[in-house]
Amino acid sequence: MQEKMLWGALSILRVIWCLAPQKGYLHPDEFFQSPEVIAGDILDLEINRPWEFHSAFPCRTVLIPLMTSGTAFWIINFLQRLGFEMAFNYSYLLLVLPRLIITLLSFLLDYTVHQVAPVWACNPWKALVLLAMSPVTLVFYTRTFGNAVEGVLFALLLLLIKPGNSNPESNSTNSKDHHFIGLVLTVGFFNRPTFLCFALAPLIYWAAQRGSRGSCASHTMLILTLMKTVPSVVLLSGLFVLADTIYYTGHWPLSVTGRESFIKQLMKNTILTPINFLHYNMNPENLAQHGVHPRITHIAVNGFMLFGLCHLFAVSSAFKMLRTLIWSKCNPDKSHYERPPQQASLLLMFYFVPLMSLSFFKHQEPRFLIPLIVPLVLLVSNYNSAMKTKCVIVLFNVTGALFFGCLHQAGLIPSLIHIQQTVQPKFTSSNMSCHHTVLFTHTYMPPLYLLNLKKGQTSVDIIDLAGCNKDLMCQKLRGLQEELSLRNTQVLGRKYHLRAVFPGSITTVIKSCGLAYKDEVLFTPHLSMEDPPKMCDLLSGNLESHLSLHVIEVDVGTTMG
C-alpha cells in the first residue's frame, strides 16, 4: 500500500512539475527537433529552422513532431480562432502544452512496467516507484525530446513481446502481435533510426519464442517469424515517406511530369529521412561537429549520470552473469556459481545490447540512453537494498532532478518570457515605433517560437553568438551599439533598443567591453556547464550574480570612458 501511494504521489508530481513549469534547459534538441519547427508551420511564428529540417537534406520525419507538438499547437490555434487572443500574449502555453503531451505519453512506461513485471518475476510496485522517482522520468520524459518518444516506443515493444504473449494457447491475440510490432518498429525507426539498437534483443527473443512453437526452432523459423512484420512495416513506411515527401518538396512523389521513367521519378522526388539521417551520421566529419566521445562514455559516464546506483547494479549483475558463464564453460562438472534466473539474464540483454550498440557511435550523449529505464527498473526491483543504499538512491534522484530540472541553463527560458513581454506589450501601438535587438552569448540556442513573434515581423532581431571568444563578442556588441546609436539619430519616430543576455560567469568579460547599460535583470538560478563559474568567484560572496543569467539593456549611444 505504501508503494502504491508513493507511486501515485510521484505521478502527480510529474504532471505538476511539468505544468509548473520546469525552468531547466537540458539540450537544444528538446526544442529544435519538435516545437520550434512545428510552431512555425501551425502558428506562423518566427522560428530558427534547424538543419535537420531543411528541404535540401532533411534528416527528421515531420509526422512525429506533428503528432506531439503539433497536437498542442493545433489546440492553441483552435483557441485563437475562438477569440482567446489575450491568453497567447505570453509564452507559457507555447512551452507547457507540448511538454504535457510527452508527459502524458510517459505514463505508458508505467503501464508497461505494471503489466510486464509479474511475467518477468519482478516486483511491480517497487519497479514503478523506481521509475516514477527517477530524474530521467521526472525531467527527460516531460520534455519534447525524440529520445522520450523512442523510450515510449521501446516500452510498448517490451509490452508486446512479454512472455505471456508467446503462449501457444493465445493464438487469437498472437495473430495480431506481429502487426503491432511492425507498427512500433516503423514509427521508432522513422523517429530515430537508432531505435533498431533498442529493438534488436526484444525482437530476437520474440521471434525465438514464436518460432519455438513449431516442430523445430531454427534460424529459418526465426527469420520467417520476423518476416511476418513486413506488411505492416511496408504499409506504415509508405505513409511516413509520403508525408515527408509532401512536407519537404511540396508535391507528391510522382507528381512531376515528363518522360522520365517511373523509377527515376520515384528516386528523384522521394524523401527518405531515416536514410539521410544514417548517411549524415556515418560521416566522421559530421559527427565531429557535434562532439566525439570515447566509446566507453555511455557505460562509464552517461549510465551513472542518468541512473546512478541502478546502473551500477546492472553492471555488477552483468559481470556476475559473465563470470558464471565462463566458470560453467571451464568447469562443466562443477556448479560453484549459481546461474542467474532466465528473466534476469533477458533483462540484462534488453539493457546492455542497446547500450553497447550505441557505444559503437562516437557521438554519445546521456539522453540517448533514457529509453533503457524500463528494463533497468525491472531488473533492479528484485534487489533487497539496505537502508543506506535506498537513501543514496533517493539522494541521487533528488539531486539529479533539481540539477536538470531547476538549475542547468535554467535562466534562459524565463529570460525569453521576460523579453517576450518587453518587446510585445499588451497594447502594441507603441511597439510599432520601437525596434529591439537581443543578443545571446554563451547560452544554449534560444528557441524563438517562445517570443511569440509572427513571421515577417521587422521589430525584433535575435542574434545568437553561442560560445564566441571575448574579442569577437566585444567587437559585435560595440558595433551594434554604434550602429543603433546612429539609427536613433537618423530615423525619426523609431527608437532602437539593444539587450544582451549572458551567464554571470562571464560578467567580467562583458564589463571589459566598455559598455554602459541602464537596466539589468537577473534570472536565478542559472548554471552553464560550458562556462561554469570559478570556485573563487563563488566563494567571493557574490553567489547570486555568478549563478544567474543576466539580461542588460545597453545604453545605445553611450560608452564608458
Side-chain angles (χ1 to χ4, degrees):
M1 181 61 70
Q2 290 181 347
E3 290 175 336
K4 292 181 181 180
M5 293 179 63
L6 182 57
W7 172 82
L10 290 169
S11 299
I12 294 172
L13 173 64
R14 191 189 316 176
V15 177
I16 291 177
W17 207 16
C18 168
L19 299 174
Q22 293 180 24
K23 297 179 180 179
Y25 186 167
L26 299 178
H27 190 278
D29 283 356
E30 69 173 287
F31 295 105
F32 289 91
Q33 287 183 3
S34 186
E36 176 79 359
V37 177
I38 303 304
D41 296 330
I42 296 178
L43 300 177
D44 200 34
L45 297 181
E46 190 82 25
I47 63 167
N48 180 8
R49 184 172 291 272
W51 63 269
E52 297 104 320
F53 289 88
H54 285 170
S55 58
F57 193 73
C59 295
R60 298 284 179 184
T61 183
V62 71
L63 271 186
I64 304 298
L66 279 175
M67 289 188 289
T68 52
S69 296
T71 301
F73 294 146
W74 276 318
I75 293 173
I76 293 176
N77 193 33
F78 176 73
L79 293 176
Q80 284 180 328
R81 291 177 183 274
L82 293 180
F84 295 96
E85 292 289 340
M86 294 302 294
F88 308 107
N89 287 336
Y90 305 99
S91 305
Y92 175 80
L93 286 181
L94 294 174
L95 173 68
V96 168
L97 274 188
R99 288 182 173 182
L100 183 60
I101 299 294
I102 300 297
T103 302
L104 295 178
L105 286 176
S106 74
F107 282 97
L108 289 173
L109 274 67
D110 302 72
Y111 177 76
T112 296
V113 169
H114 183 266
Q115 293 296 309
V116 305
V119 296
W120 288 110
C122 300
N123 184 327
W125 288 106
K126 185 176 179 181
L128 281 169
V129 170
L130 287 171
L131 173 69
M133 72 187 301
S134 171
V136 171
T137 305
L138 290 171
V139 181
F140 287 84
Y141 276 98
T142 59
R143 306 298 181 91
T144 48
F145 279 118
N147 308 94
V149 176
E150 187 175 42
V152 171
L153 294 170
F154 183 48
L156 290 177
L157 183 61
L158 294 178
L159 180 63
L160 290 169
I161 62 95
K162 69 176 182 178
N165 285 357
S166 298
N167 187 350
E169 298 178 359
S170 56
N171 289 332
S172 60
T173 302
N174 290 332
S175 62
K176 299 180 181 179
D177 283 351
H178 56 273
H179 294 307
F180 291 117
I181 290 174
L183 294 177
V184 170
L185 287 176
T186 306
V187 177
F189 181 67
F190 275 85
N191 176 59
R192 289 183 62 87
T194 54
F195 183 73
L196 296 183
C197 297
F198 295 94
L200 178 61
L203 270 182
I204 293 175
Y205 168 76
W206 169 75
Q209 292 293 304
R210 293 293 298 270
S212 65
R213 286 187 282 170
S215 58
C216 61
S218 63
H219 292 89
T220 303
M221 289 295 299
L222 188 141
I223 294 173
L224 289 175
T225 302
L226 291 175
M227 290 295 290
K228 292 181 180 180
T229 65
V230 170
S232 55
V233 168
V234 172
L235 182 64
L236 192 56
S237 295
L239 177 61
F240 271 93
V241 171
L242 180 63
D244 290 336
T245 300
I246 295 175
Y247 179 80
Y248 287 111
T249 66
H251 55 70
W252 293 73
L254 298 177
S255 64
V256 179
T257 59
R259 295 185 177 181
E260 292 180 311
S261 67
F262 176 83
I263 299 298
K264 285 185 177 180
Q265 285 195 42
L266 197 64
M267 294 296 293
K268 181 179 179 180
N269 300 302
T270 301
I271 300 296
L272 301 172
T273 52
I275 303 303
N276 292 343
F277 178 95
L278 292 171
H279 183 267
Y280 179 89
N281 285 280
M282 291 299 179
N283 188 335
E285 294 181 359
N286 293 335
L287 288 181
Q289 298 177 17
H290 303 276
V292 175
H293 308 95
R295 297 191 189 277
I296 64 169
T297 301
H298 276 326
I299 192 169
V301 179
N302 294 340
F304 289 102
M305 186 183 301
L306 290 176
F307 307 121
L309 280 183
C310 292
H311 178 68
L312 180 62
F313 290 153
V315 172
S316 175
S317 298
F319 275 116
K320 289 179 181 178
M321 185 181 72
L322 288 175
R323 183 180 61 180
T324 301
L325 292 175
I326 294 172
W327 176 267
S328 62
K329 292 291 183 181
C330 297
N331 302 276
D333 298 329
K334 298 180 180 180
S335 57
H336 180 71
Y337 293 111
E338 182 181 355
R339 284 181 175 272
Q342 183 184 16
Q343 295 93 333
S345 301
L346 288 169
L347 289 174
L348 283 171
M349 286 182 59
F350 296 161
Y351 184 76
F352 280 102
V353 168
L355 191 151
M356 302 309 295
S357 299
L358 293 172
S359 297
F360 283 104
F361 300 95
K362 289 188 176 181
H363 180 58
Q364 301 184 15
E365 297 182 24
R367 62 191 173 92
F368 295 167
L369 301 183
I370 66 173
L372 297 177
I373 190 169
V374 170
L376 182 62
V377 297
L378 289 171
L379 181 68
V380 177
S381 65
N382 284 335
Y383 277 86
N384 294 318
S385 303
M387 182 58 66
K388 290 183 179 179
T389 304
K390 294 179 180 178
C391 291
V392 171
I393 292 175
V394 171
L395 180 62
F396 171 84
N397 290 338
V398 172
T399 304
L402 292 177
F403 175 78
F404 290 117
C406 301
L407 184 59
H408 186 257
Q409 293 278 344
L412 186 58
I413 301 305
S415 75
L416 285 169
I417 296 176
H418 167 77
I419 292 169
Q420 186 267 339
Q421 294 170 345
T422 302
V423 303
Q424 265 194 357
K426 292 183 179 180
F427 302 99
T428 59
S429 58
S430 61
N431 192 49
M432 297 301 295
S433 62
C434 294
H435 182 279
H436 300 270
T437 300
V438 185
L439 183 145
F440 292 83
T441 182
H442 289 257
T443 67
Y444 278 176
M445 190 185 307
L448 301 188
Y449 83 99
L450 291 178
L451 295 175
N452 199 20
L453 302 171
K454 290 297 181 181
K455 285 182 180 177
Q457 60 82 31
T458 58
S459 60
V460 181
D461 287 334
I462 304 296
I463 301 173
D464 182 16
L465 294 184
C468 68
N469 59 47
K470 171 187 173 182
D471 294 335
L472 178 60
M473 183 168 52
C474 290
Q475 179 183 351
K476 186 67 175 180
L477 281 169
R478 293 194 192 103
L480 284 171
Q481 185 185 42
E482 294 173 2
E483 178 185 349
L484 297 180
S485 176
L486 183 62
R487 291 185 183 181
N488 275 332
T489 58
Q490 293 180 344
V491 181
L492 298 178
R494 192 169 180 85
K495 177 67 175 176
Y496 290 85
H497 300 270
L498 174 61
R499 287 178 173 81
V501 184
F502 56 91
S505 55
I506 65 167
T507 302
T508 55
V509 177
I510 296 294
K511 289 182 178 179
S512 68
C513 295
L515 301 172
Y517 51 90
K518 53 187 178 182
D519 187 27
E520 182 176 19
V521 182
L522 302 185
F523 294 92
T524 309
H526 178 92
L527 177 62
S528 171
M529 296 308 294
E530 289 74 18
D531 296 282
K534 298 178 180 178
M535 186 59 65
C536 58
D537 293 331
L538 294 177
L539 297 176
S540 65
N542 198 6
L543 186 64
E544 181 182 8
S545 175
H546 290 288
L547 289 179
S548 298
L549 187 73
H550 296 239
V551 179
I552 63 172
E553 182 175 359
V554 179
D555 191 359
V556 177
T558 305
T559 56
M560 296 174 62

